Amino acid sequence: MIHHHDLRTQGQCVRLFPPVPPGPPDLNGRITSNKLIAIGHWNDDIDSHLFSFSNLQVTTRNDSVSSIKLDTLGTWGHDGAVTDIQVADQGSSGEVLMAVALSTGGLVLGRLLLPRNPGTSIEDVQILDLPADDNMLLPSAVPHTAAINSVDLHPETKAILTAGADGCLCVLDASDPSASPFKAASPGVYTSYTSARWADSQLFVTASSTGRLQMWDARAGPSPCLSAPAAWGAAGPRLRDPALPGALQQRISCLHVHPSRPNMCAAGTSGGAVAVWDLRFASAPASWAGEQELGGADVWEVRFDANEPLALPPATPSQQHPHQQQQQPVPPVLFVSDSGVLGRVSSPSTSTVQHSAAAPGYLGSGLEAKTLLSHPFAINSFDVEASAGRDVVCVTEDQQLIYVRRGAAL
């Protein structure tokens, strides 16, 4: 089921907050769910960058959507564009941390109270802290001298990780973001970091415009502790042989670390590739999909799909690689691209498995791609509901918010 809403502004980034359990059905068997959304967007009419909280109210009956309503709860202006938004659930207390990255190098931190009692009304949501003055958001810190390309929040340590176009990586404390941060930079060469994500409480993974996938330890100083081989370019095999005319140079535009398997990292690139890395085997991706499968469009964002099968059927002995005693499925990944595709890549069937360059213990090098949504304009950002993966929201270049509700299984 797909539903379009006219935002009348151009969405740049969208994120879902943790879900609130719905209340019991009414006398007609209808169940109403409230989904809190954060949106960074651009308004052409007033030439202003905006940040908004919205509520997507979805009413279902017998697992079929009967109505959808989108209400804006609050809007603030700010300097610079929203480049990334991350939220971190603080558990049963209902508190949620939020970090908003800006193209000015500023970082806005907020705290919300989102009660988890079934049937909680959206009116019960409270903004505990959001730095603003006269409907303008104010940065909580300015850790970078150029745009922050990505931000991540660790839910347990509350540490904030930022990656900047100024070639710096910063780790800040959410309780005191003005304190001097851990800071790493690339010595001797200009590098714009495009994405950075926590892998655990101390380790994080990054991607850059000139380098490759790298692992860092915040305890070990400002140098990477692990780097993927240069032969793999930014995220996977080069889209074309770099020696050939018209060869495309890949650049990782986005990363996502699996929430329950932190050794697994998904990467999306310019030129159209999605790769899944096992960070324990950084010599090659566990699997990937490239130009042939994705059509060559730039991939803007990737997220591991919570609607994930428990296992794939085991390969027959004739399909097994001689050095692999037990094969594992690569977790599926959702992605959006500038060609307007919301897609999903997943492990292939055993009949099409390839083994030539896969990391040890994994199902070959090819991921199979499936299109979930095709839109005539670029999809700039998306998010997927974390608990079951049934609800997906997207914002597009032509000022649409698209809500996708999927079946219980793919």
Side-chain angles (χ1 to χ4, degrees):
M1 181 269 178
I2 300 173
H3 198 278
H4 295 252
H5 296 267
D6 186 2
L7 288 177
R8 299 183 181 178
T9 58
Q10 187 183 92
Q12 298 164 322
C13 188
V14 63
R15 295 291 181 260
L16 283 163
F17 280 79
V20 176
D26 63 14
L27 295 178
N28 294 315
R30 293 173 300 194
I31 297 176
T32 298
S33 303
N34 292 302
K35 304 178 189 302
L36 184 63
I37 302 173
I39 306 175
H41 45 125
W42 165 258
N43 190 317
D44 280 326
D45 295 334
I46 60 176
D47 290 333
S48 180
H49 293 287
L50 302 174
F51 174 84
S52 299
F53 291 120
S54 296
N55 179 48
L56 190 66
Q57 188 178 81
V58 180
T59 302
T60 59
R61 182 180 180 183
N62 297 327
D63 208 33
S64 177
V65 176
S66 58
S67 67
I68 297 177
K69 183 181 179 183
L70 182 68
D71 293 318
T72 300
L73 306 178
T75 298
W76 295 261
H78 51 82
D79 294 330
V82 171
T83 55
D84 196 9
I85 305 170
Q86 293 297 328
V87 298
D89 192 358
Q90 297 301 286
S92 58
S93 68
E95 187 172 322
V96 178
L97 299 181
M98 178 187 70
V100 181
L102 301 174
S103 62
T104 58
L107 184 67
V108 179
L109 303 180
R111 292 188 303 122
L112 288 80
L113 184 63
L114 189 61
R116 308 303 162 80
N117 299 322
T120 293
S121 169
I122 200 67
E123 285 79 15
D124 294 328
V125 175
Q126 302 176 42
I127 298 177
L128 303 178
D129 184 26
L130 188 68
D133 182 25
D134 194 23
N135 291 323
M136 289 291 292
L137 289 184
L138 303 175
S140 306
V142 186
H144 294 269
T145 59
I148 299 177
N149 287 327
S150 81
V151 62
D152 200 15
L153 272 167
H154 195 282
E156 297 176 4
T157 66
K158 302 180 183 180
I160 305 163
L161 172 64
T162 61
D166 58 356
C168 291
L169 304 164
C170 293
V171 178
L172 304 93
D173 185 347
S175 61
D176 186 12
S178 62
S180 297
F182 165 93
K183 205 162 192 174
S186 299
V189 61
Y190 175 75
T191 297
S192 171
Y193 284 101
T194 56
S195 190
R197 299 296 182 217
W198 288 111
D200 64 20
S201 60
Q202 297 295 336
L203 295 174
F204 58 91
V205 59
T206 66
S208 65
S209 58
T210 60
R212 50 211 169 198
L213 211 65
Q214 292 181 316
M215 287 288 293
W216 304 69
D217 189 332
R219 301 161 296 188
S223 297
C225 57
L226 186 65
S227 296
W232 281 90
R238 297 187 188 278
L239 299 183
R240 299 193 184 111
D241 186 337
L244 297 176
L248 300 179
Q249 295 300 315
Q250 289 179 324
R251 186 189 74 150
I252 294 181
S253 53
C254 48
L255 297 172
H256 188 236
V257 173
H258 198 287
S260 60
R261 299 166 65 182
N263 60 296
M264 304 303 294
C265 177
T269 76
S270 60
V274 172
V276 178
W277 289 81
D278 186 333
L279 299 176
R280 300 168 302 179
F281 306 108
S283 60
S287 202
W288 71 86
E291 184 179 13
Q292 181 177 354
E293 294 84 4
L294 306 186
D298 292 349
V299 176
W300 290 141
E301 290 187 341
V302 291
R303 288 193 172 269
F304 282 104
D305 192 358
N307 199 324
E308 179 180 347
L310 295 178
L312 292 179
T316 64
S318 63
Q319 293 165 338
Q320 289 182 352
H321 189 272
H323 300 296
Q324 294 176 326
Q325 298 300 317
Q326 189 173 22
Q327 296 177 332
Q328 305 173 31
V330 173
V333 178
L334 297 172
F335 68 92
V336 292
S337 72
D338 69 350
S339 64
V341 169
L342 166 66
R344 185 180 191 262
V345 294
S346 58
S347 291
S349 61
T350 54
S351 62
T352 58
V353 166
Q354 302 175 33
H355 300 282
S356 58
Y362 284 89
L363 284 174
S365 56
L367 289 174
E368 294 180 338
K370 176 183 178 182
T371 298
L372 306 180
L373 167 70
S374 183
H375 190 69
F377 293 84
I379 298 178
N380 293 332
S381 178
F382 83 110
D383 201 5
V384 58
E385 182 255 322
S387 59
R390 298 193 66 184
D391 296 319
V392 182
V393 292
C394 312
V395 289
T396 70
E397 194 77 12
D398 62 332
Q399 305 186 357
Q400 298 285 307
L401 182 141
I402 304 176
Y403 168 71
V404 181
R405 183 176 178 85
R406 301 187 289 171
L410 291 177

